[in-house]
Amino acid sequence: MNENRKVRVRFAPSPTGGLHLGGVRTALFNYLFAKKNNGDFILRVEDTDQSRFVEGAEEYINNCLAWCGIHPDESPSKPGEFGPYRQSERKESYRAYAEKLVDAGKAYYAFDLPEELEEARTKMPNFTYGHSTRMTMKNSLSLPESEVRELLDKGTPHVIRIKMPTDETIQFEDMIRGSVVFDTNLVDDKVLLKADNMPTYHLAVVVDDYQMKISHIFRGEEWLPSAPVHILLWEYLGWKNEMPEWAHLPLILKPDGHGKLSKRDGDRLGFPVFAMDWKDPKSGDITKGFRELGFLPQAFVNMLALLGWNDGTDQELFSLAELIEKFSLERINNSGAKFDFEKAKWYNHEWIQKLSIEEIAEYIRPLMANHQPNIDAKYLESVLALTRERLTLLTDFWSNASFFFQEPTSYDLDTILKRWNDEKTAFFTDIGERLEAFEPWHSEELESFYKLAIQASGMKMGELMLPLRIMLVGGKFGPHVFDIAATLGKAETISRIRKGLDAIISEKA
Ligand code: GLU
């Protein structure tokens, strides 16, 4: 690494829909590397392909990054000195670079009509526009100069293609994979500038990375086949000395390890693949995201970082700050990482235990809006202290804790009804009254008080514990019963004992 060079990395998504977790991981690794090296993390929106542009996708990307705690130093909404940060707003500069390459003999005009390209493909099934076929096509290399001039003067639609060298190799050092070599004969003459004057991704990415002084590129392995074109462009444009270092991140694989994890795998296997809910603006279809399913951003980020990286120890839980501190390129695996949804949930469960109760409460509060909009902060925190151990997803909260907020609407009486008798009725009537005067209303004190009362009654412990639980929560579930009573408070506990007793008596009658 060139020590004097300021570290500047970019995440360059195309705003075409929901953000796949692989995309978030790419953003994360860029961010970790930048922050570790006191560098800048830039968000650049690659929206030159207008046919794939999707309304709302850019805002969605911003929201996903913000949710993960990945805050760009420069972006369309936080412009720095290298703007604009949307490729579509930078289009003026690209044509000149493409023309410069044509003048230098490194690129050429191609006038082939779509139907002519189609014909070439029909004649030769493996047709690629490249060193062995370009002279049979309609371009400024195959046509006489005068004809080329005429076509251009007439404003004939054309593209500009890079001229890949014949019989050469292109080699570069990938920071993750080491030396990578390409045979130029196997790389086609990629279009750099389209007929509508818009650059293709290949030209735009190189020009922008140069102009934005990008020092290191971390991107998905799916871009590796494009690397020779990009490297050649850096050289052809005369920028080789400023070329960034490259790292192609290993793929995130399907749970069985066979192939890249896709959105369809998520649908098929029942887990999200997007960071947050994505609503398709055309169909209105909603694809579920990790956030809405009940994941903490801390867990999501931690899980993503460990898909392809580890710190060399057994440690699995890392905060974003720790990831920044520990991140190292050397510890990125060079083979794909299998996605494991059960493991993702494990991270979430661990993080629910790791954060402070106050922090968890802040995540739970919006989920409670439908049930209990004006919940008391202290009460919510005491409920969480008793229930968080049972939560894998934040959205599990209501099913594990609703009885703290509403009294039972039905009682599971099957087991206790058979053995109910007048003695028990008398016991609970009496307990209700005696609790009115009981202090202090704490779990341990309540437990000793209740157990002493059982002893005094001469009945068995087991006979009177379950009924109390059922009166308080409606069934055979929930945390320690005296913790429940302590949290519910005196008035609510006594009221529930009385209502429960009434329900039992009327069932018994
Ligand atoms: N726009 C490309 C994408 O959508 C960026 C690839 C790169 O990082 O070079 O992933």
Side-chain angles (χ1 to χ4, degrees):
M1 192 160 105
N2 177 347
E3 296 297 327
N4 303 320
R5 193 167 187 191
K6 163 101 173 157
V7 167
R8 288 179 53 83
V9 300
R10 81 320 188 258
F11 175 50
S14 301
T16 53
L19 196 53
H20 185 282
L21 56 91
V24 188
R25 192 195 55 172
T26 299
L28 177 65
F29 282 17
N30 273 289
Y31 176 79
L32 296 177
F33 183 78
K35 296 300 126 187
K36 167 100 191 183
N37 293 291
N38 299 316
D40 296 329
F41 169 74
I42 291 124
L43 170 66
R44 183 176 68 224
V45 176
E46 304 215 318
D47 58 349
T48 47
D49 189 351
Q50 293 295 324
S51 63
R52 294 179 65 220
F53 178 81
V54 175
E55 195 65 46
E58 181 183 322
E59 193 191 349
Y60 173 90
I61 291 166
N62 290 334
N63 293 342
C64 285
L65 295 184
W67 179 63
C68 292
I70 302 175
H71 302 292
D73 297 296
E74 297 163 29
S75 72
S77 47
K78 193 185 176 206
E81 57 177 304
F82 300 93
Y85 291 83
R86 258 179 226 109
Q87 236 163 25
S88 59
E89 293 166 16
R90 301 172 70 87
K91 61 177 174 235
E92 307 317 323
S93 68
Y94 302 116
R95 170 136 210 133
Y97 288 114
E99 295 279 5
K100 195 175 139 191
L101 293 176
V102 175
D103 293 345
K106 308 290 190 197
Y108 59 91
Y109 301 114
F111 301 94
D112 317 272
L113 298 168
E115 48 274 27
E116 288 164 339
L117 289 168
E118 202 41 57
E119 196 191 318
R121 284 190 204 105
T122 324
K123 275 200 210 136
M124 200 197 291
N126 295 330
F127 175 83
T128 54
Y129 209 119
H131 77 110
S132 62
T133 56
R134 63 170 83 101
M135 293 312 279
T136 66
M137 303 300 290
K138 216 165 121 192
N139 55 53
S140 58
L141 300 176
S142 62
L143 300 173
E145 216 180 304
S146 54
E147 199 178 327
V148 173
R149 260 286 53 92
E150 206 185 307
L151 286 168
L152 289 176
D153 289 346
K154 276 199 297 197
T156 315
H158 61 273
V159 301
I160 294 181
R161 287 180 181 271
I162 188 170
K163 186 179 168 203
M164 288 304 288
T166 309
D167 298 335
E168 283 184 23
T169 55
I170 296 176
Q171 187 271 344
F172 76 98
E173 284 298 308
D174 187 284
M175 292 183 281
I176 298 173
R177 300 149 197 269
S179 174
V180 184
V181 183
F182 291 92
D183 175 350
T184 54
N185 290 352
L186 301 177
V187 185
D188 55 332
D189 291 352
K190 290 265 184 296
V191 173
L192 301 177
L193 199 82
K194 294 183 276 185
D196 64 2
N197 244 333
M198 278 293 234
T200 58
Y201 154 71
H202 301 293
L203 178 64
V205 82
V206 170
V207 170
D208 289 352
D209 286 341
Y210 168 74
Q211 290 180 340
M212 292 183 166
K213 296 199 182 322
I214 299 303
S215 63
H216 297 77
I217 291 177
F218 292 85
R219 60 182 181 186
E221 188 180 285
E222 61 274 29
W223 299 104
L224 192 58
S226 303
V229 180
H230 300 169
I231 288 167
L232 212 56
L233 282 172
W234 278 90
E235 191 183 310
Y236 284 177
L237 288 163
W239 302 331
K240 189 123 202 209
N241 291 337
E242 284 139 285
M243 188 168 81
E245 297 197 48
W246 307 87
H248 291 87
L249 301 170
L251 295 176
I252 298 180
L253 304 174
K254 297 179 202 296
D256 65 7
H258 295 304
K260 186 180 163 181
L261 180 73
S262 72
K263 188 183 149 298
R264 253 175 297 123
D265 298 317
D267 297 342
R268 183 170 58 88
L269 300 165
F271 55 74
V273 165
F274 289 165
M276 303 182 338
D277 273 9
W278 164 251
K279 184 171 178 191
D280 186 294
K282 288 214 179 81
S283 65
D285 290 348
I286 293 182
T287 309
K288 240 310 174 251
F290 280 86
R291 182 178 74 168
E292 287 76 6
L293 201 70
F295 272 80
L296 284 167
Q298 293 84 345
F300 181 63
V301 163
N302 189 162
M303 177 272 294
L304 280 183
L306 276 278
L307 277 176
W309 175 88
N310 64 72
D311 78 338
T313 72
D314 289 340
Q315 185 176 342
E316 292 188 280
L317 298 178
F318 296 90
S319 66
L320 192 55
E322 275 177 290
L323 288 171
I324 292 172
E325 188 196 317
K326 304 250 171 89
F327 189 71
S328 69
L329 275 172
E330 297 71 38
R331 299 225 52 92
I332 298 180
N333 299 333
N334 52 14
S335 55
K338 279 188 220 165
F339 177 70
D340 177 350
F341 188 51
E342 291 310 311
K343 187 75 192 195
K345 288 196 287 190
W346 176 84
Y347 279 109
N348 208 50
H349 178 264
E350 293 300 309
W351 270 97
I352 291 176
Q353 316 317 310
K354 203 165 142 79
L355 291 188
S356 72
I357 291 281
E358 291 79 6
E359 283 171 293
I360 296 291
E362 282 315 305
Y363 287 103
I364 293 288
R365 193 174 286 282
L367 301 175
M368 294 287 288
N370 292 338
H371 306 290
Q372 293 269 321
N374 299 315
I375 198 167
D376 176 74
K378 281 277 153 278
Y379 188 66
L380 177 58
E381 286 166 20
S382 52
V383 172
L384 270 169
L386 293 183
T387 50
R388 70 156 144 185
E389 200 193 318
R390 294 154 192 260
L391 309 181
T392 297
L393 300 171
L394 294 169
T395 41
D396 294 337
F397 180 69
W398 188 248
S399 62
N400 278 282
S402 60
F403 53 83
F404 282 105
F405 303 93
Q406 54 196 27
E407 59 182 28
T409 46
S410 65
Y411 298 93
D412 174 7
L413 296 178
D414 280 0
T415 11
I416 60 171
L417 221 46
K418 284 183 235 119
R419 301 216 290 272
W420 199 261
N421 54 29
D422 291 346
E423 223 184 326
K424 287 185 185 170
T425 303
F427 176 86
F428 279 99
T429 313
D430 181 49
I431 273 288
E433 269 158 40
R434 289 175 56 201
L435 283 174
E436 295 275 10
F438 185 76
E439 288 297 339
W441 200 262
H442 297 156
S443 178
E444 271 176 42
E445 281 82 353
L446 283 166
E447 181 165 358
S448 358
F449 169 79
Y450 192 76
K451 287 184 173 166
L452 281 174
I454 298 178
Q455 268 172 20
S457 76
M459 283 183 275
K460 287 205 200 90
M461 209 53 79
E463 290 288 301
L464 294 164
M465 293 302 278
L466 184 60
L468 177 63
R469 173 177 293 281
I470 292 175
M471 287 171 184
L472 295 187
V473 307
K476 296 173 214 159
F477 47 77
H480 185 52
V481 71
F482 298 102
D483 286 347
I484 298 176
T487 304
L488 286 174
K490 185 186 280 191
E492 182 67 16
T493 301
I494 296 173
S495 149
R496 289 194 189 188
I497 290 177
R498 292 194 174 135
K499 285 188 185 159
L501 186 57
D502 288 348
I504 295 169
I505 294 170
S506 64
E507 272 299 309
K508 193 77 190 158

